[in-house]
Amino acid sequence: MPMFRNANYIYTVYRERNFSRAAEKLFISQSSLSLTIKKAEERIGAPIFNRSTSPITLTEFGEKYIEAVEEMIRIQNRLDNYIYDINHMKRGHIAVGAANFNSTYLLPHALSAFREMYPNVVVDLYENTTPDLEKKLGRGDIDLLFTNKTLDERLIHRFIICHEFMVLVVPKKFCLDDSLKKFSRTIPELSSFSSLSSGGDSDGNRSHLLDPAFLYNFRDLPFILLRPGNDSRERSDLMFLDAGFYPQDILELDQASTAYRLACSGMGATIVSNLMVRKMEPSESTFFFPLGGPHTEQYVCAYLRSDAIITKAMEEFVKTAQTIIPANI
């Protein structure tokens, strides 16, 4: 197509924001690159770059042009992956995104097992916040996103990996009432509860989970919460609403693992996933109360775009995660 004849040159300038650096990457002279792109703009009939700024920026048309080029790159990448499938997993590439806890505690065993089975398939792991990774998934920068956040299934395919529920972590020095202590559970008990919730209990029994009103008993405690915008924070806020109070928070954090460690140190109470309690170091200084209600249970899932070509490599990686992760939590 004439409009995209020099797309590689144009895209390289866009990525580098500089004609000189782009020319070096393309192994041509700067004058030759500038002339080629000038002729391309004349052929198209609209300017792509605003050369009056430093670094150079895109014109309004240029933004549309780059969007089209990136879509073509994504199509080419999907076709490349399809070709790799024909080669029976002899080559391939998967880009996987996961937030801090999932990438640190849930995915390593699955990554290791997949690597042993398919040593020639390259897996890139991207760690970031779920909102940022969700954008990457939407742009096609990553193939799979592992998260406990529920995404729009009209746009995204979902594959369930494991079940989780929320646990109230309370330092023992803040819980002196024996009538409350009896509801606490050990870490091994939290593990067996998860097995029941994942489907082992045919009657759908949730008797091990405490009613939302149970939270009210701790209304006067200082709480360590995650920052607004975090999915776990949103669920915690809904739990407090169901319990009829909002706690005094002494600290807001970005990572649930830090909130858990601070709770174990005696600073205050917090609400985290039972998976985190089981994967982090054991604590003898806290009580664990498994919480129930409409906002406390969910699934860690692998998501991919609904318009994505599900390659053999992606399919096998999801299957590996579904087998390995539940066995190691």
Side-chain angles (χ1 to χ4, degrees):
M1 291 180 290
M3 181 173 290
F4 296 104
R5 185 181 303 162
N6 303 111
N8 181 45
Y9 284 7
I10 294 169
Y11 194 67
T12 302
V13 173
Y14 159 69
R15 293 294 298 267
E16 295 298 322
R17 296 292 196 274
N18 181 280
F19 275 84
S20 178
R21 288 196 300 269
E24 290 180 9
K25 291 237 175 196
L26 294 166
F27 301 103
I28 62 174
S29 68
Q30 180 178 341
S31 59
S32 177
L33 176 62
S34 297
L35 181 60
T36 297
I37 292 182
K38 188 67 175 176
K39 288 182 177 179
E41 290 174 323
E42 292 173 355
R43 183 172 61 252
I44 293 169
I48 296 171
F49 295 106
N50 181 1
R51 295 166 174 78
S52 64
T53 62
S54 182
I56 60 173
T57 56
L58 294 171
T59 63
E60 182 177 353
F61 169 78
E63 291 178 354
K64 296 294 184 183
Y65 184 92
I66 292 299
E67 286 178 9
V69 171
E70 290 181 330
E71 180 61 24
M72 289 192 300
I73 291 172
R74 286 193 288 268
I75 292 171
Q76 181 175 331
N77 287 340
R78 290 199 292 266
L79 287 173
D80 287 343
N81 281 333
Y82 181 75
I83 294 171
Y84 291 157
D85 285 349
I86 296 175
N87 291 327
H88 305 292
M89 304 280 286
K90 292 182 179 180
R91 293 185 297 162
H93 174 266
I94 310 172
V96 178
N100 178 266
F101 176 75
N102 290 338
S103 63
T104 303
Y105 295 101
L106 299 188
L107 280 175
H109 289 291
L111 285 165
S112 179
F114 185 82
R115 176 68 176 172
E116 286 187 21
M117 291 185 289
Y118 307 107
N120 295 317
V121 177
V122 177
V123 180
D124 290 328
L125 178 61
Y126 294 87
E127 299 176 273
N128 209 325
T129 63
T130 296
D132 285 336
L133 291 170
E134 192 175 350
K135 293 175 184 176
K136 282 183 174 293
L137 184 66
R139 294 195 302 264
D141 295 336
I142 58 175
D143 301 305
L144 294 167
L145 170 56
F146 284 77
T147 180
N148 59 5
K149 181 180 178 182
T150 302
L151 305 184
D152 189 343
E153 292 191 42
R154 294 172 300 175
L155 306 174
I156 307 291
H157 287 305
R158 182 181 79 152
F159 300 89
I160 294 175
I161 304 300
C162 61
H163 170 267
E164 71 171 358
F165 56 86
M166 304 307 287
V167 175
L168 173 65
V169 183
V170 180
K172 289 183 176 179
K173 69 179 183 180
F174 290 132
C175 186
L176 304 177
D177 188 338
D178 289 336
S179 66
L180 297 178
K181 294 178 185 178
K182 67 181 181 180
F183 293 105
S184 68
R185 297 292 183 263
T186 65
I187 292 177
E189 286 175 327
L190 294 178
S191 178
S192 64
F193 291 158
S194 184
S195 296
L196 289 174
S197 298
S198 297
D201 186 350
S202 60
D203 296 325
N205 182 19
R206 296 291 187 269
S207 61
H208 61 278
L209 298 177
L210 297 167
D211 186 272
F214 181 79
L215 262 178
Y216 189 76
N217 294 291
F218 302 93
R219 61 191 178 279
D220 296 325
L221 267 59
F223 269 79
I224 304 162
L225 303 175
L226 299 182
R227 297 191 197 283
N230 182 284
D231 182 65
S232 294
R233 170 61 183 271
E234 292 175 0
R235 289 199 289 150
S236 295
D237 287 347
L238 291 171
M239 287 181 236
F240 292 132
L241 183 64
D242 288 346
F245 78 101
Y246 198 81
Q248 54 169 318
D249 60 279
I250 57 172
L251 199 58
E252 290 184 341
L253 303 170
D254 293 310
Q255 300 295 339
S257 56
T258 307
Y260 174 76
R261 289 191 179 98
L262 290 177
C264 292
S265 74
M267 183 176 287
T270 193
I271 297 176
V272 297
S273 163
N274 68 309
L275 301 183
M276 176 164 293
V277 173
R278 288 157 54 194
K279 297 300 289 187
M280 300 288 284
E281 62 272 12
S283 173
E284 300 296 328
S285 61
T286 55
F287 288 119
F288 302 110
F289 301 99
L291 297 173
H295 312 297
T296 63
E297 295 188 81
Q298 61 183 18
Y299 294 93
V300 176
C301 298
Y303 290 93
L304 57 88
R305 286 164 42 132
S306 60
D307 62 348
I309 297 174
I310 305 177
T311 66
K312 182 67 174 177
M314 293 162 62
E315 181 181 331
E316 290 302 316
F317 189 86
V318 170
K319 288 180 180 178
T320 302
Q322 289 174 321
T323 301
I324 299 298
I325 290 177
N328 285 277
I329 56 176

